[in-house]
Amino acid sequence: MNSQIDRLELLALLNKGLDYPLVLLVAPPGSGKSVLLEQWQNHLCQLARSPKVMRFETSPKLNEGDVIFSLIFDALKSMTPLWEASFFNLFKDDSQVDEVTLIEVFLEAFTQLAHDLVIIFDDFHHISSARIHRIMNTLVSKLPTHVSILLSSRRYPQFSIAKLKLKEAVLIIDGNDLRINAEELLTLNQSICGSQLETRRISTLLTQTEGWFVGTN
């Protein structure tokens, strides 16, 4: 995906996701997920009411223990004073924190925030731990309205999306949404080649690549 293309419709869709506890950005590799998130972060900074953003690049290492939750906790400490004793007892050693306690402490920390917050996990498909997926699912179901979680992944998480859909608690952006359109392809070619494509050539490229960003580059 070329960062010179501003995908305004997708940015607007992501903005809509701020009204949901969970946003799922699910598409194959090469669809432009990560660069779209970069654009969105830059876009959020320009909003009148700009939310705080935590963004984590996930890897298989984050399946170990409570590493992923420790990262969130450290980021939260830089945003709000966490004075409760229960906060300081988290992650004091390598043992896993009780799930119920972990969730309660995070929810209490979120309520102390004086601003909106978006927590982004890029490449969430690296997370295979059933425990992490279970905790994420519970957090999503209990998040205060000023906090949203975005999972960018090649596949859906290991919890029921159907239940979240019924509660209107999830916004899903998939590979169909990420497909490049004719106008964007024209802009991409102009920025790379400095020339315009013929209408017939645009149609052929979109058909051949099915709008897949990597395929059009």
Side-chain angles (χ1 to χ4, degrees), residues 133-193:
H133 283 260
R134 189 166 57 248
I135 292 172
M136 285 289 183
N137 186 26
T138 304
L139 276 176
V140 166
S141 68
K142 297 183 177 182
L143 283 178
T145 56
H146 62 284
V147 180
S148 298
I149 292 176
L150 187 152
L151 305 180
S152 176
S153 178
R154 297 178 185 177
R155 53 183 172 269
Y156 286 90
Q158 300 171 20
F159 49 80
S160 176
I161 304 304
K163 291 181 180 179
L164 294 173
K165 285 182 177 179
L166 287 174
K167 296 178 181 178
E168 297 184 343
V170 59
L171 175 67
I172 300 174
I173 302 173
D174 61 19
N176 290 323
D177 298 305
L178 288 170
R179 287 178 179 174
I180 189 171
N181 59 38
E183 183 178 349
E184 290 168 337
L185 179 56
L186 191 62
T187 302
L188 176 62
N189 183 77
Q190 183 71 36
S191 66
I192 295 176
C193 302

Coordinates of all heavy atoms in Angstrom, one line a residue, residues 133-193:
H133 N -6.9 -14.2 24.4 CA -8.1 -14.0 23.7 C -9.3 -13.9 24.6 O -10.2 -13.1 24.4 CB -8.3 -15.1 22.6 CG -7.4 -14.9 21.4 ND1 -7.9 -14.4 20.2 CD2 -6.1 -15.2 21.2 CE1 -6.9 -14.4 19.3 NE2 -5.9 -14.9 19.9
R134 N -9.3 -14.7 25.6 CA -10.4 -14.8 26.6 C -10.5 -13.4 27.4 O -11.5 -12.9 27.6 CB -10.2 -15.9 27.5 CG -11.4 -16.2 28.4 CD -11.2 -17.6 29.1 NE -10.0 -17.8 29.8 CZ -9.0 -18.6 29.5 NH1 -9.1 -19.3 28.4 NH2 -7.9 -18.7 30.2
I135 N -9.3 -12.9 27.8 CA -9.3 -11.7 28.5 C -9.7 -10.5 27.6 O -10.4 -9.6 28.1 CB -7.9 -11.5 29.1 CG1 -7.6 -12.5 30.2 CG2 -7.7 -10.1 29.7 CD1 -6.2 -12.5 30.8
M136 N -9.2 -10.5 26.4 CA -9.6 -9.5 25.5 C -11.1 -9.4 25.3 O -11.7 -8.4 25.3 CB -8.9 -9.7 24.1 CG -7.4 -9.3 24.1 SD -7.1 -7.6 24.2 CE -5.4 -7.5 24.1
N137 N -11.7 -10.6 25.1 CA -13.1 -10.7 24.9 C -13.9 -10.1 26.1 O -14.8 -9.4 25.9 CB -13.5 -12.2 24.7 CG -15.0 -12.4 24.4 OD1 -15.6 -11.5 23.8 ND2 -15.5 -13.5 24.7
T138 N -13.4 -10.4 27.3 CA -14.1 -9.9 28.5 C -13.9 -8.4 28.6 O -14.9 -7.7 29.0 CB -13.6 -10.6 29.8 OG1 -13.7 -12.0 29.7 CG2 -14.3 -10.1 31.0
L139 N -12.7 -7.9 28.3 CA -12.5 -6.5 28.4 C -13.4 -5.7 27.4 O -14.0 -4.7 27.8 CB -11.0 -6.2 28.0 CG -10.0 -6.3 29.2 CD1 -8.6 -6.1 28.6 CD2 -10.3 -5.3 30.3
V140 N -13.5 -6.3 26.2 CA -14.3 -5.6 25.2 C -15.8 -5.5 25.7 O -16.4 -4.5 25.5 CB -14.3 -6.4 23.9 CG1 -15.4 -6.0 22.9 CG2 -12.9 -6.2 23.2
S141 N -16.2 -6.6 26.4 CA -17.6 -6.6 26.8 C -17.9 -5.6 28.0 O -19.1 -5.3 28.3 CB -18.0 -8.0 27.2 OG -17.4 -8.4 28.4
K142 N -16.8 -5.1 28.6 CA -17.0 -4.2 29.8 C -16.3 -2.9 29.6 O -16.3 -2.1 30.6 CB -16.4 -4.9 31.0 CG -17.1 -6.2 31.3 CD -16.5 -6.9 32.6 CE -17.3 -8.1 33.0 NZ -16.8 -8.7 34.3
L143 N -15.8 -2.5 28.5 CA -15.1 -1.3 28.3 C -16.0 -0.1 28.5 O -17.1 -0.1 28.1 CB -14.5 -1.2 26.9 CG -13.2 -2.0 26.6 CD1 -12.9 -1.8 25.1 CD2 -12.1 -1.6 27.5
P144 N -15.5 1.0 29.2 CA -16.2 2.2 29.2 C -16.3 2.8 27.8 O -15.5 2.5 26.9 CB -15.4 3.1 30.2 CG -14.0 2.5 30.1 CD -14.2 1.0 29.9
T145 N -17.3 3.7 27.6 CA -17.6 4.2 26.3 C -16.4 5.0 25.7 O -16.4 5.2 24.4 CB -18.8 5.1 26.3 OG1 -18.7 6.1 27.2 CG2 -20.0 4.2 26.7
H146 N -15.5 5.5 26.5 CA -14.4 6.4 25.9 C -13.2 5.5 25.5 O -12.1 6.1 25.2 CB -14.0 7.5 26.9 CG -13.5 6.9 28.2 ND1 -14.3 6.4 29.2 CD2 -12.2 6.9 28.7 CE1 -13.5 6.1 30.2 NE2 -12.3 6.3 29.9
V147 N -13.3 4.2 25.6 CA -12.1 3.3 25.3 C -12.6 2.4 24.2 O -13.6 1.8 24.2 CB -11.6 2.6 26.5 CG1 -10.5 1.7 26.1 CG2 -11.2 3.5 27.6
S148 N -11.7 2.2 23.1 CA -11.9 1.3 22.0 C -10.7 0.5 21.8 O -9.6 0.9 22.0 CB -12.3 2.0 20.7 OG -13.5 2.7 20.8
I149 N -10.9 -0.8 21.4 CA -9.8 -1.7 21.1 C -9.9 -2.0 19.6 O -10.9 -2.4 19.1 CB -9.8 -3.0 21.9 CG1 -9.5 -2.7 23.4 CG2 -8.8 -4.0 21.4 CD1 -9.6 -3.9 24.3
L150 N -8.7 -1.9 18.9 CA -8.7 -2.3 17.5 C -7.7 -3.4 17.3 O -6.5 -3.3 17.7 CB -8.3 -1.1 16.6 CG -8.4 -1.3 15.1 CD1 -8.6 0.1 14.4 CD2 -7.1 -1.9 14.5
L151 N -8.2 -4.5 16.7 CA -7.3 -5.6 16.4 C -7.1 -5.7 14.9 O -8.1 -5.9 14.2 CB -7.9 -6.9 16.9 CG -8.3 -7.0 18.4 CD1 -8.9 -8.3 18.8 CD2 -7.1 -6.7 19.3
S152 N -5.9 -5.6 14.4 CA -5.6 -5.7 13.0 C -4.9 -7.1 12.8 O -3.9 -7.4 13.5 CB -4.6 -4.6 12.6 OG -4.2 -4.8 11.2
S153 N -5.5 -7.9 11.9 CA -5.1 -9.3 11.9 C -5.4 -9.9 10.5 O -6.2 -9.4 9.7 CB -5.9 -10.1 13.0 OG -5.5 -11.4 13.0
R154 N -4.8 -11.0 10.3 CA -5.0 -11.8 9.1 C -6.2 -12.7 9.3 O -6.7 -13.3 8.3 CB -3.8 -12.6 8.7 CG -2.6 -11.8 8.3 CD -1.4 -12.7 8.0 NE -0.2 -11.8 7.8 CZ 1.0 -12.3 7.5 NH1 1.2 -13.7 7.5 NH2 2.0 -11.5 7.3
R155 N -6.7 -12.9 10.5 CA -7.8 -13.8 10.8 C -8.5 -13.2 12.0 O -8.0 -12.4 12.7 CB -7.3 -15.2 11.0 CG -6.3 -15.4 12.0 CD -5.8 -16.8 12.1 NE -4.6 -17.0 13.0 CZ -3.4 -16.9 12.5 NH1 -3.1 -16.7 11.2 NH2 -2.4 -17.0 13.3
Y156 N -9.7 -13.8 12.2 CA -10.6 -13.4 13.3 C -10.0 -13.9 14.6 O -9.4 -15.0 14.7 CB -12.0 -13.8 13.1 CG -12.7 -13.0 12.0 CD1 -12.7 -13.4 10.7 CD2 -13.4 -11.9 12.3 CE1 -13.3 -12.7 9.7 CE2 -14.1 -11.1 11.4 CZ -14.0 -11.6 10.0 OH -14.7 -10.8 9.1
P157 N -10.3 -13.2 15.7 CA -9.8 -13.6 17.0 C -10.6 -14.9 17.5 O -11.6 -15.2 16.9 CB -10.1 -12.4 17.9 CG -11.2 -11.7 17.3 CD -11.0 -11.9 15.8
Q158 N -10.1 -15.5 18.6 CA -10.7 -16.7 19.0 C -11.8 -16.5 20.0 O -11.8 -17.1 21.1 CB -9.5 -17.6 19.7 CG -8.4 -17.9 18.8 CD -7.2 -18.5 19.5 OE1 -7.4 -19.0 20.7 NE2 -6.1 -18.5 18.9
F159 N -12.7 -15.7 19.7 CA -13.9 -15.5 20.5 C -15.1 -15.2 19.6 O -14.9 -14.8 18.4 CB -13.7 -14.5 21.6 CG -13.2 -13.2 21.2 CD1 -13.9 -12.2 20.6 CD2 -11.8 -12.9 21.5 CE1 -13.4 -10.9 20.3 CE2 -11.3 -11.6 21.1 CZ -12.1 -10.7 20.5
S160 N -16.3 -15.3 20.1 CA -17.5 -15.2 19.3 C -17.7 -13.7 18.9 O -18.0 -12.8 19.7 CB -18.7 -15.6 20.2 OG -19.9 -15.4 19.4
I161 N -17.6 -13.6 17.6 CA -17.9 -12.3 17.0 C -19.5 -12.1 16.8 O -20.0 -11.0 16.9 CB -17.3 -12.1 15.6 CG1 -15.8 -12.3 15.7 CG2 -17.5 -10.8 15.0 CD1 -15.1 -11.4 16.7
A162 N -20.2 -13.2 16.7 CA -21.6 -13.2 16.5 C -22.3 -12.5 17.7 O -23.2 -11.7 17.5 CB -22.2 -14.6 16.3
K163 N -21.9 -12.8 18.9 CA -22.4 -12.2 20.1 C -22.2 -10.7 20.1 O -23.1 -9.9 20.5 CB -21.9 -12.9 21.3 CG -22.3 -14.3 21.5 CD -21.7 -14.8 22.8 CE -22.2 -16.3 23.1 NZ -21.6 -16.8 24.3
L164 N -21.0 -10.3 19.7 CA -20.7 -8.9 19.7 C -21.5 -8.1 18.6 O -21.9 -7.0 18.8 CB -19.2 -8.7 19.4 CG -18.3 -9.2 20.5 CD1 -16.8 -9.1 20.0 CD2 -18.5 -8.3 21.8
K165 N -21.7 -8.8 17.5 CA -22.6 -8.2 16.4 C -24.0 -8.0 16.9 O -24.6 -7.0 16.6 CB -22.6 -9.1 15.2 CG -21.3 -9.1 14.3 CD -21.5 -10.0 13.1 CE -20.3 -10.0 12.2 NZ -20.5 -10.9 11.0
L166 N -24.5 -9.0 17.6 CA -25.9 -8.8 18.2 C -26.0 -7.7 19.1 O -27.0 -7.0 19.2 CB -26.3 -10.1 18.9 CG -26.6 -11.3 18.0 CD1 -26.8 -12.6 18.8 CD2 -27.8 -11.1 17.1
K167 N -24.9 -7.4 19.8 CA -24.9 -6.3 20.8 C -24.5 -5.0 20.1 O -24.4 -3.9 20.8 CB -24.0 -6.6 22.0 CG -24.4 -7.8 22.8 CD -23.4 -8.1 23.9 CE -23.8 -9.3 24.7 NZ -22.8 -9.6 25.8
E168 N -24.2 -5.0 18.8 CA -23.7 -3.8 18.1 C -22.4 -3.3 18.8 O -22.2 -2.1 18.9 CB -24.7 -2.8 17.9 CG -25.9 -3.2 17.1 CD -26.9 -2.1 16.9 OE1 -26.9 -1.1 17.6 OE2 -27.8 -2.2 16.0
A169 N -21.5 -4.2 19.2 CA -20.3 -3.9 19.9 C -19.1 -4.1 19.1 O -18.0 -3.9 19.6 CB -20.2 -4.8 21.2
V170 N -19.2 -4.4 17.8 CA -18.0 -4.5 17.0 C -18.3 -3.9 15.6 O -19.3 -4.0 15.0 CB -17.7 -6.0 16.8 CG1 -18.8 -6.8 16.2 CG2 -16.4 -6.3 16.0
L171 N -17.2 -3.3 15.1 CA -17.2 -2.8 13.7 C -16.1 -3.6 12.9 O -15.0 -3.7 13.4 CB -16.9 -1.3 13.6 CG -16.7 -0.7 12.2 CD1 -18.1 -0.7 11.5 CD2 -16.1 0.7 12.3
I172 N -16.5 -4.3 11.8 CA -15.6 -5.1 11.1 C -15.3 -4.4 9.7 O -16.1 -4.0 9.0 CB -16.2 -6.5 10.8 CG1 -16.5 -7.2 12.1 CG2 -15.3 -7.4 10.0 CD1 -17.3 -8.5 12.0
I173 N -14.0 -4.3 9.5 CA -13.5 -3.8 8.2 C -12.6 -5.0 7.6 O -11.7 -5.4 8.2 CB -12.6 -2.6 8.4 CG1 -13.4 -1.5 9.1 CG2 -12.0 -2.1 7.1 CD1 -12.6 -0.3 9.5
D174 N -13.0 -5.4 6.5 CA -12.4 -6.6 5.9 C -11.7 -6.3 4.6 O -11.6 -5.2 4.1 CB -13.3 -7.8 5.8 CG -14.5 -7.5 4.9 OD1 -14.4 -6.6 4.0 OD2 -15.5 -8.2 5.0
G175 N -11.2 -7.4 3.9 CA -10.5 -7.3 2.7 C -11.3 -6.6 1.6 O -10.7 -5.9 0.7
N176 N -12.6 -6.8 1.6 CA -13.5 -6.1 0.6 C -13.4 -4.6 0.7 O -13.4 -3.9 -0.2 CB -14.9 -6.6 0.7 CG -15.1 -8.0 0.2 OD1 -14.4 -8.5 -0.7 ND2 -15.9 -8.8 0.9
D177 N -13.4 -4.1 2.0 CA -13.4 -2.7 2.2 C -12.0 -2.1 1.8 O -11.9 -1.0 1.4 CB -13.6 -2.4 3.7 CG -15.0 -2.9 4.2 OD1 -16.0 -2.4 3.6 OD2 -15.0 -3.7 5.2
L178 N -10.9 -2.9 2.0 CA -9.6 -2.4 1.7 C -9.2 -2.4 0.2 O -8.2 -1.9 -0.2 CB -8.6 -3.3 2.5 CG -8.6 -3.1 4.0 CD1 -7.7 -4.2 4.7 CD2 -8.0 -1.7 4.3
R179 N -10.1 -3.0 -0.6 CA -9.7 -3.0 -2.1 C -9.6 -1.6 -2.6 O -10.4 -0.7 -2.3 CB -10.8 -3.8 -2.8 CG -10.8 -5.3 -2.6 CD -11.9 -6.0 -3.4 NE -11.9 -7.4 -3.2 CZ -12.9 -8.2 -3.7 NH1 -13.9 -7.7 -4.3 NH2 -12.8 -9.5 -3.5
I180 N -8.6 -1.5 -3.4 CA -8.3 -0.2 -4.1 C -9.4 0.1 -5.2 O -9.8 -0.9 -5.9 CB -6.9 -0.1 -4.7 CG1 -6.6 1.3 -5.2 CG2 -6.8 -1.1 -5.8 CD1 -5.1 1.4 -5.6
N181 N -9.8 1.3 -5.3 CA -10.8 1.6 -6.4 C -10.1 2.3 -7.5 O -8.9 2.6 -7.5 CB -12.0 2.4 -5.8 CG -11.5 3.8 -5.2 OD1 -10.6 4.4 -5.7 ND2 -12.2 4.1 -4.1
A182 N -10.9 2.6 -8.6 CA -10.3 3.2 -9.8 C -9.6 4.5 -9.5 O -8.5 4.8 -10.0 CB -11.4 3.3 -10.8
E183 N -10.3 5.4 -8.7 CA -9.7 6.7 -8.5 C -8.4 6.6 -7.7 O -7.4 7.3 -8.0 CB -10.7 7.5 -7.7 CG -10.2 8.9 -7.4 CD -11.3 9.7 -6.6 OE1 -12.4 9.3 -6.5 OE2 -10.9 10.8 -6.1
E184 N -8.3 5.7 -6.7 CA -7.1 5.5 -5.9 C -6.0 4.9 -6.8 O -4.8 5.2 -6.7 CB -7.4 4.6 -4.8 CG -8.3 5.2 -3.7 CD -8.8 4.3 -2.7 OE1 -8.9 3.0 -3.0 OE2 -9.2 4.7 -1.6
L185 N -6.3 4.0 -7.7 CA -5.4 3.4 -8.6 C -4.8 4.5 -9.5 O -3.6 4.5 -9.8 CB -6.0 2.3 -9.4 CG -5.0 1.6 -10.4 CD1 -3.8 1.0 -9.7 CD2 -5.8 0.5 -11.2
L186 N -5.6 5.3 -10.0 CA -5.2 6.4 -10.8 C -4.2 7.3 -10.1 O -3.1 7.7 -10.6 CB -6.4 7.3 -11.3 CG -6.1 8.3 -12.4 CD1 -5.7 7.6 -13.7 CD2 -7.4 9.1 -12.7
T187 N -4.5 7.6 -8.8 CA -3.6 8.5 -8.0 C -2.3 7.8 -7.7 O -1.2 8.4 -7.8 CB -4.3 8.8 -6.7 OG1 -5.5 9.5 -6.9 CG2 -3.4 9.7 -5.8
L188 N -2.4 6.5 -7.5 CA -1.2 5.7 -7.2 C -0.3 5.7 -8.4 O 1.0 5.9 -8.3 CB -1.6 4.3 -6.9 CG -0.4 3.3 -6.7 CD1 0.5 3.7 -5.5 CD2 -1.0 1.9 -6.4
N189 N -0.8 5.5 -9.6 CA 0.0 5.4 -10.8 C 0.6 6.8 -11.1 O 1.8 6.9 -11.5 CB -0.8 5.0 -12.0 CG 0.0 4.9 -13.3 OD1 0.7 4.0 -13.5 ND2 -0.2 5.9 -14.2
Q190 N -0.2 7.9 -10.8 CA 0.3 9.2 -11.1 C 1.5 9.5 -10.1 O 2.5 10.1 -10.5 CB -0.8 10.2 -10.8 CG -0.4 11.7 -11.1 CD -0.3 12.0 -12.5 OE1 -1.0 11.4 -13.4 NE2 0.7 12.8 -12.9
S191 N 1.4 9.1 -8.9 CA 2.5 9.4 -7.9 C 3.8 8.6 -8.2 O 4.9 9.0 -8.0 CB 2.0 9.1 -6.5 OG 1.8 7.7 -6.3
I192 N 3.6 7.4 -8.8 CA 4.8 6.5 -9.0 C 5.4 6.8 -10.4 O 6.6 6.9 -10.5 CB 4.4 5.0 -8.9 CG1 4.0 4.7 -7.5 CG2 5.5 4.1 -9.3 CD1 3.5 3.3 -7.3
C193 N 4.5 6.9 -11.4 CA 5.0 6.9 -12.8 C 4.9 8.4 -13.4 O 5.5 8.6 -14.4 CB 4.2 6.0 -13.7 SG 4.2 4.3 -13.1

